[in-house]
Amino acid sequence: MATHLIGEMTGTRNRSERIVRSRPRLVASALTAALFASLVVVGDQGARADHNTDIHSDNMSLVATLDTGHGGDLAFWGDTAVLSHGSADGDPGGRNDGFQLVDISDPTKPTNIGGVFECVKTGADVSVWRDLVFLSSSENVLTSDDCHGESLGDPEGFMGLQIVSIENPEAPERIASVNTCPDRRDPTRCSDSHTHTLVPDLEHRDPATGKRDPRLIVYVNRTNQAVVEVPLRNPVDARVINWVDFAPPSSGFAGACHDVSVFLPRNLAACAGEKSTQVQIWDISDPADPSLVSVTSNPEMDNVHGSTFSWDGNILVVADEALAGLASSGPCPGPATSSPIGALWFYDISDPAVPVLKNFYQLPQPVEAGGCTAHQFNVVPLRSGRDVLVAGWFLGGTTVVDFTDPDNPEQIAHYRAEPDDPERRSNPWSSYWYNGFVYANNTFDGDFTPKTERGFDVFAVDDPRLKDHIRLNRFNFGTQECLPPPHGAAHGNLTTCETDDGGGLLDAVRARGDES
């Protein structure tokens, strides 16, 4: 049966934002959490929290925590969250076991439902499409011992994209591996698959027969951009079909993207230049063969990391992952006007050929330890057309920002759990809004940030600006599809592109054995 993005109204009440400290606790419902937030003691923003206390605005509350080990990125399909275990760099005894599955049908009671896939060394960036999980394998060589004796077909080791079936969530099964570094002697044709981005191309037609042949295009990122085609009829036939390199001569651009984000209603993509200060904008009208639209550079940034779009497609938000700040023991800069390093930046791309810098957002509250910078984030889909994002900030915790006026972005909520407890403090690699709640996956990476064993957090945010959020049936970082009709009308004409997940089409194909 075809699955579509579905809208649903939810309501919240207004609370003014204040800094509060409260002992962490699990609560039975979002309503209880909101009540709890209203009862906690208000404190001075500049004072340090006591041991085992949380620092947060009074409109943001912790509703659940699940022990899932060290974390990385997150992806969602329906009521299932896919949690990357990220990289255990700097932790010789750490697990490198890919991902696990969590049931979030009741966000206040997340439950482990899936086994762990043990066939990856580092990276483990994840995305999901129906019963397929896509997993990046980067940096370290994989041997047959890492894959339960299965050979990956490359005697020099494997870097690339793994496709894993979660049809049986208790026993994930690798069904395909796409080597995106087939010849290490040719650096122009080698992507180490640090990250990847899904681009649904469900109206694609087989050039030989003219029949509909839905597929996913996957941009595999970092040392170079490999373009992988995954036929949804037969994903085991996934293969590299192109390479993308738009590095202008003498530009200082590394020729690769740390992350690529796509906004399908405008057929645009943004490439955050690996270890650079540059962002490229692409035209992806043909997603298998992008073309370059513009390149913009910002010398105020330390290390361009990732990006996303407002839901009208006119504002591009770019994250600066400040490697210098991550490696230092100094505090977060805070307040917002003190330093742009490690901030979020806003560009008007109404004309994508001429991006216009508007302003930056820095975490307003200071943080007492190092490892503090913008990281993974997304924009809340709202009927009102307001622009609000949620971002993970490592030891800075999770922040919620209204950037409807990109010249004056404003924090409206935030949460840091147990800042003085090295094992239990917030350290989110990724914090995302999904269907009325904020989900954070805390990292255990010892190279750049102090270690934590916090796991998976769920938060509720009580703010009137979020009361009219739109429910989605999936979320993958870097992939923005159409909002469901009629809700896209508030954001411009965003209702004309395909919102099916390919399921209805594939069911018809199986039933008839054909598709015109």
Side-chain angles (χ1 to χ4, degrees):
M1 182 175 65
T3 303
H4 296 270
L5 303 180
I6 300 173
E8 179 177 313
M9 180 76 75
T10 60
T12 55
R13 297 176 305 176
N14 185 22
R15 297 184 194 276
S16 60
E17 183 188 0
R18 294 172 290 176
I19 303 295
V20 295
R21 296 171 172 82
S22 63
R23 293 195 176 275
R25 58 187 296 180
L26 302 184
V27 293
S29 69
L31 177 61
T32 306
L35 176 62
F36 174 69
S38 70
L39 297 176
V40 292
V41 179
V42 178
D44 174 63
Q45 176 171 317
R48 283 181 59 84
D50 294 332
H51 183 66
N52 282 340
T53 59
D54 295 351
I55 299 177
H56 59 96
S57 58
D58 70 347
N59 62 349
M60 188 165 178
S61 50
L62 176 67
V63 300
T65 297
L66 182 66
D67 182 9
T68 52
H70 64 272
D73 211 355
L74 278 167
F76 301 88
W77 193 278
D79 291 329
T80 299
V82 183
L83 278 64
S84 164
H85 281 158
S87 168
D89 293 347
D91 176 35
R95 299 185 314 223
N96 293 286
D97 41 16
F99 67 87
Q100 68 189 90
L101 307 175
V102 174
D103 183 346
I104 55 168
S105 55
D106 180 352
T108 70
K109 297 177 182 178
T111 306
N112 285 313
I113 58 171
V116 173
F117 179 74
E118 300 176 345
C119 193
V120 63
K121 279 287 188 178
T122 65
D125 188 35
V126 291
S127 55
V128 60
W129 195 266
R130 302 190 81 199
D131 58 358
L132 298 176
V133 169
F134 297 83
L135 180 67
S136 283
S137 298
S138 72
E139 296 180 354
N140 284 348
V141 171
L142 290 173
T143 67
S144 59
D145 291 339
D146 298 307
C147 297
H148 310 287
E150 298 177 67
S151 171
L152 290 173
D154 186 347
E156 296 185 70
F158 178 84
M159 294 180 183
L161 191 68
Q162 304 207 48
I163 304 175
V164 183
S165 170
I166 55 170
E167 186 174 4
N168 178 1
E170 295 183 358
E173 179 184 4
R174 178 172 58 85
I175 62 171
S177 296
V178 181
N179 192 336
T180 57
C181 189
D183 186 351
R184 309 211 175 169
R185 295 165 296 184
D186 182 0
T188 67
R189 295 294 182 267
C190 177
S191 174
D192 71 2
S193 188
H194 181 62
T195 69
H196 66 268
T197 306
L198 296 190
V199 186
D201 188 14
L202 305 179
E203 296 300 315
H204 173 67
R205 292 184 178 270
D206 186 317
T209 65
K211 295 179 180 179
R212 190 173 295 177
D213 187 20
R215 64 180 181 175
L216 299 176
I217 294 296
V218 186
Y219 299 138
V220 181
N221 309 315
R222 193 157 78 167
T223 47
N224 285 284
Q225 308 315 123
V227 179
V228 173
E229 180 185 64
V230 183
L232 285 174
R233 286 175 174 169
N234 197 18
V236 298
D237 289 339
R239 62 191 179 96
V240 176
I241 60 172
N242 198 5
W243 296 87
V244 178
D245 183 358
F246 297 128
S250 305
S251 67
F253 191 77
C257 311
H258 182 281
D259 268 290
V260 172
S261 60
V262 299
F263 188 75
L264 296 184
R266 293 189 67 191
N267 287 322
L268 293 178
C271 157
E274 168 70 7
K275 294 182 179 178
S276 79
T277 62
Q278 295 185 343
V279 178
Q280 296 180 349
I281 296 180
W282 302 348
D283 181 336
I284 57 168
S285 300
D286 179 355
D289 190 18
S291 58
L292 183 63
V293 175
S294 64
V295 180
T296 187
S297 182
N298 185 346
E300 297 274 12
M301 290 188 186
D302 181 61
N303 177 53
V304 177
H305 177 269
S307 63
T308 196
F309 297 81
S310 62
W311 276 106
D312 64 2
N314 289 326
I315 301 296
L316 179 67
V317 190
V318 180
D320 176 19
E321 183 185 35
L323 296 179
L326 281 171
S328 74
S329 59
C332 249
T337 56
S338 64
S339 171
I341 298 299
L344 293 173
W345 294 81
F346 303 92
Y347 291 85
D348 186 329
I349 58 165
S350 302
D351 179 357
V354 188
V356 177
L357 177 62
K358 305 300 288 183
N359 205 348
F360 69 89
Y361 167 82
Q362 181 60 269
L363 199 68
Q365 54 275 0
V367 176
E368 300 83 2
C372 184
T373 183
H375 208 241
Q376 301 290 86
F377 59 103
N378 74 338
V379 176
V380 183
L382 296 170
R383 291 183 179 86
S384 65
R386 295 192 71 88
D387 294 322
V388 177
L389 64 81
V390 172
W393 218 274
F394 287 125
L395 292 186
T398 296
T399 181
V400 184
V401 183
D402 186 333
F403 66 102
T404 306
D405 177 2
D407 288 311
N408 297 286
E410 173 193 12
Q411 179 174 261
I412 63 175
H414 67 92
Y415 206 106
R416 290 176 61 208
E418 305 187 57
D420 295 328
D421 186 337
E423 294 185 355
R424 297 296 302 166
R425 60 189 167 191
S426 290
N427 196 5
W429 175 286
S430 51
S431 295
Y432 298 132
W433 174 276
Y434 184 67
N435 291 347
F437 292 84
V438 172
Y439 298 87
N441 198 10
N442 293 283
T443 184
F444 191 65
D445 192 331
D447 275 359
F448 296 127
T449 63
K451 300 174 184 178
T452 184
E453 297 183 9
R454 183 161 187 84
F456 182 59
D457 285 329
V458 186
F459 302 99
V461 182
D462 187 10
D463 189 281
R465 284 163 283 201
L466 301 174
K467 69 179 180 181
D468 61 349
H469 69 266
I470 299 167
R471 292 186 63 85
L472 306 177
N473 82 328
R474 57 185 177 264
F475 169 74
N476 291 294
F477 176 70
T479 305
Q480 283 177 270
E481 303 174 67
C482 290
L483 292 177
H487 311 304
H491 308 263
N493 185 21
L494 305 187
T495 63
T496 57
C497 63
E498 178 65 58
T499 58
D500 189 6
D501 66 4
L505 173 60
L506 292 175
D507 291 341
V509 169
R510 295 186 182 105
R512 297 200 304 266
D514 194 354
E515 180 66 20
S516 59

